[in-house]
Amino acid sequence: MTDATVDGGHPEAAAPGATAPGATASQVRLPPVVAAEHHAAVAAFRESYADLPAGAPVRLAKRTSNLFRFREPAPRAGSRRAAQGPATPPGLDASAFTSVLHVDPAARAAVVGGMTTYEDLADATLRHGLMPLVVPQLKTITLGGAVTGLGIESTSLRNGLPHESVTAMEILTGDGRVVTATAEGEHADLFHGFPNSYGTLGYALSLTIELEPVAPFVHLRHFRYTSPQDCMAAIAQIAAEGSLHGYRADFVDGTAFGLDEIYLTVGAFSDVAPWRSDYTGQQIYYRSVRGPREDFLTIRDYLWRWDTDWFWCSRPFGVQQPVVRRLWPRRYRRSDVYRSLVAFDRRHHLSDTLDANRGRPPREAVIQDVEIPVDRGAEFLRFFAADVGMSPVWLCPLRLRSDTSWPLYPLRPGEVYVNFGFWGTVPLPPGRRDGYHNRLVETEVAALGGSKGLYSTSFYSEEDFWATYNGPAYARLKSAYDGGGRLSGLYEKCVRGS
Ligand SMILES: Cc1cc2nc3c(=O)[nH]c(=O)nc-3n(C[C@H](O)[C@H](O)[C@H](O)COP(=O)(O)OP(=O)(O)OC[C@H]3O[C@@H](n4cnc5c(N)ncnc54)[C@H](O)[C@@H]3O)c2cc1C
């Protein structure tokens, strides 16, 4: 941050690096050496940004991504490919912001580089018996990415979305300033408008977040429902009572294999585990929800239960077949490895060419996460089974933690939603073009009073997009923090893919 703090608080309130017992997340201080290094890195990043050629598109050079809009990766500044010409401009080197700067167990808070992966973040906090309030389940999702692009996980019914436990953000704005944004401070508008802005207002260089205590294990119980209505009623009950059939719901998510086979998985922190399952080896987590009904995982294995097989998306690589699985090195059973393979396939159109050569219909990628009010969730599942027909589908209930709304993403405070996640391809009906199923999803989501995340493809008209994602609020923020339009606009980036 620009001043001596990394939190927007008062620098004189506490000695650097030491937080008084009972202190809160907004009072965390960086140890002096860490603070000095970080300030130097911020200054260098700001300079690199200022040095980019005028008019050239700006990109972050990150090692990983979980976006599903594919383009040529940006070369690092100074590399041979960057020197070859401006076709793909060099990305801004964000490597100085990829680590946890400080964990303060007394304040139950951490100061974290904006491009730190949740894998590193969770490891750093678990050492203190703490975790972020929401840990998105793909290891290489970064804190900044989850805040600017939204995130969700099975604590989201209790704790809302990742951005709701951020207390301060240090942001390089599109117009080249470095500001500290907090809920109440001078840049409160940027703080509230940052979620769902996808790096179009600025880049978060460090964030201060709240943490919560953990137990060593999670005790899971899987409940089966034979109709979407019954499942949605159970979610509404958990939201009201914090438990299901007397079992505490510290965590809750679900898996729909079909309309008559839907599981809710309720997890509770536990100090003991009579046994521990391991889904990083031969067993596969998503299959386990079908039974036995009870399970135990260490807290770390629970956080990454979906990553090993990228939910179920490792299936096309054959990795779920026992023989291939045994041969596939354990270190490559990770979502980022599978995503790189998909990215390669997309860039080189390998599957498309294979399908065409075999006379199969072209397929459309339908990779989306949508949030639907719980009382319309059953309708969504029925629509999806009839008109898209992909399975399984991930279910994750959520409710905003705060009673204020976040301007760029239209969720209503107090309302219970269910996030439906589906990631795969389906054949296009004869005469239909790419985007057919995705447009159906967009229309249905709007009809049911829901909203759609923007990390993947979108097909909205500009008018519908701004009506959905609060065009007037975005225009005010863009003018205040990137008046010269140095960064892409939200519509250009998320719909046109520029
Ligand atoms: C198959 C699949 C399943 C998913 N499931 C989930 C899920 O269950 N839960 C969940 O939480 N999310 C999920 N996501 C979405 C994911 O959280 C978002 O795509 C998130 O934005 C990715 O963050 P990243 O750190 O990988 O960022 P990237 O993919 O690198 O970037 C995402 C966007 O954020 C911008 N950005 C990145 N870092 C910063 C920063 N520090 N400051 C400002 N802008 C920045 C980038 O410019 C880019 O526009 C899923 C995605 C996929 C593809």
Side-chain angles (χ1 to χ4, degrees):
M1 309 204 163
T2 42
D3 55 22
T5 68
V6 188
D7 59 6
H10 305 287
E12 67 278 14
T19 304
T24 64
S26 62
Q27 296 165 329
V28 183
R29 296 287 168 275
L30 284 186
V33 176
V34 178
E37 274 176 15
H38 179 71
H39 286 278
V42 169
F45 192 75
R46 189 180 184 180
E47 263 175 47
S48 315
Y49 183 69
D51 288 348
L52 287 177
V58 184
R59 310 229 183 278
L60 280 180
K62 274 173 85 245
R63 213 172 41 80
T64 58
S65 171
N66 290 282
L67 280 182
F68 252 77
R69 297 188 291 270
F70 294 100
R71 64 161 76 91
E72 276 293 306
R76 281 180 188 276
S79 71
R80 200 152 58 89
R81 194 148 64 86
Q84 277 165 0
T88 316
L92 280 170
D93 182 356
S95 58
F97 308 105
T98 54
S99 60
V100 177
L101 299 171
H102 184 53
V103 177
D104 187 329
R108 286 187 184 163
V111 184
V112 184
M115 292 74 177
T116 306
T117 63
Y118 270 95
E119 182 176 28
D120 291 344
L121 174 54
D123 279 346
T125 61
L126 286 177
R127 276 198 281 279
H128 299 275
L130 298 165
M131 69 177 237
L133 271 62
V134 183
V135 178
Q137 59 293 79
L138 307 182
K139 286 177 174 173
T140 60
I141 290 178
T142 62
L143 178 58
V147 169
T148 194
L150 300 187
I152 187 167
E153 230 291 292
S154 59
T155 52
S156 287
L157 192 55
R158 271 192 311 121
N159 291 338
L161 302 180
H163 59 264
E164 293 186 280
S165 40
V166 172
T167 56
M169 278 184 278
E170 177 187 33
I171 298 172
L172 172 73
T173 59
D175 57 18
R177 289 172 287 159
V178 177
V179 302
T180 298
T182 59
E184 309 284 345
E186 186 191 351
H187 301 290
D189 55 347
L190 181 59
F191 182 86
H192 291 104
F194 203 71
N196 211 38
S197 67
Y198 276 91
T200 64
L201 300 174
Y203 296 121
L205 305 182
S206 74
L207 303 93
T208 306
I209 57 166
E210 295 172 64
L211 304 172
E212 72 172 10
V214 301
F217 306 104
V218 179
H219 187 170
L220 292 82
R221 293 180 178 87
H222 309 296
F223 298 95
R224 179 174 175 172
Y225 298 89
T226 51
S227 81
Q229 300 90 293
D230 289 351
C231 178
M232 295 304 132
I235 291 175
Q237 186 192 336
I238 300 170
E241 298 172 6
S243 62
L244 185 64
H245 305 306
Y247 298 117
R248 200 177 68 244
D250 294 326
F251 306 90
V252 53
D253 67 352
T255 313
F257 291 93
L259 292 179
D260 60 353
E261 191 187 3
I262 310 172
Y263 297 89
L264 281 185
T265 298
V266 170
F269 284 120
S270 174
D271 289 324
V272 293
W275 75 88
R276 303 169 201 182
S277 294
D278 175 9
Y279 299 106
T280 62
Q282 292 307 298
Q283 307 306 315
I284 295 170
Y285 176 72
Y286 82 93
R287 293 186 183 158
S288 77
V289 305
R290 288 177 140 154
R293 204 175 126 169
E294 206 175 355
D295 207 351
F296 287 87
L297 288 170
T298 64
I299 176 66
R300 190 178 190 281
D301 282 353
Y302 177 81
L303 294 180
W304 306 128
R305 69 202 181 286
W306 292 116
D307 188 82
T308 311
D309 282 283
W310 206 18
F311 289 87
W312 30 82
C313 302
S314 67
R315 204 165 38 187
F317 307 105
V319 184
Q320 297 184 14
Q321 292 168 21
V323 177
V324 181
R325 197 172 183 82
R326 264 193 288 278
L327 296 173
W328 191 279
R330 183 182 281 255
R331 67 181 183 284
Y332 294 145
R333 286 183 216 136
R334 291 173 55 98
S335 61
D336 52 340
V337 172
Y338 302 124
R339 188 195 175 279
S340 310
L341 295 174
V342 170
F344 184 84
D345 179 67
R346 292 284 187 86
R347 284 200 196 102
H348 300 281
H349 306 287
L350 302 179
S351 302
D352 294 347
T353 311
L354 203 66
D355 282 342
N357 289 345
R358 290 181 175 167
R360 291 186 188 147
R363 299 180 74 85
E364 177 181 0
V366 188
I367 293 166
Q368 304 290 351
D369 274 75
V370 303
E371 282 92 40
I372 306 291
V374 67
D375 54 2
R376 312 295 302 270
E379 283 170 75
F380 183 81
L381 273 178
R382 267 192 239 101
F383 146 79
F384 192 78
D387 289 14
V388 182
M390 188 192 291
S391 137
V393 172
W394 185 57
L395 282 64
C396 186
L398 71 139
R399 179 167 45 195
L400 286 182
R401 183 179 182 223
S402 39
D403 52 16
T404 52
S405 56
W406 298 80
L408 301 191
Y409 203 67
L411 295 175
R412 291 172 288 280
E415 180 140 10
V416 176
Y417 294 85
V418 181
N419 173 290
F420 296 97
F422 31 93
W423 315 288
T425 63
V426 285
L428 280 163
R432 298 294 185 180
R433 297 205 347 236
D434 195 50
Y436 168 72
H437 295 99
N438 280 288
R439 285 193 173 88
L440 288 181
V441 170
E442 285 178 0
T443 305
E444 187 70 10
V445 168
L448 297 176
S451 19
K452 192 187 93 154
L454 296 173
Y455 69 79
S456 183
T457 47
S458 293
F459 294 84
Y460 296 106
S461 69
E462 194 156 359
E463 199 185 354
D464 287 349
F465 182 85
W466 289 125
T468 307
Y469 299 102
N470 202 344
Y474 182 75
R476 280 193 297 276
L477 286 162
K478 192 72 175 165
S479 144
Y481 293 99
D482 186 27
R486 193 69 193 80
L487 303 172
S488 304
L490 190 62
Y491 184 76
E492 287 70 41
K493 190 166 188 176
C494 296
V495 183
R496 297 207 180 114
S498 58

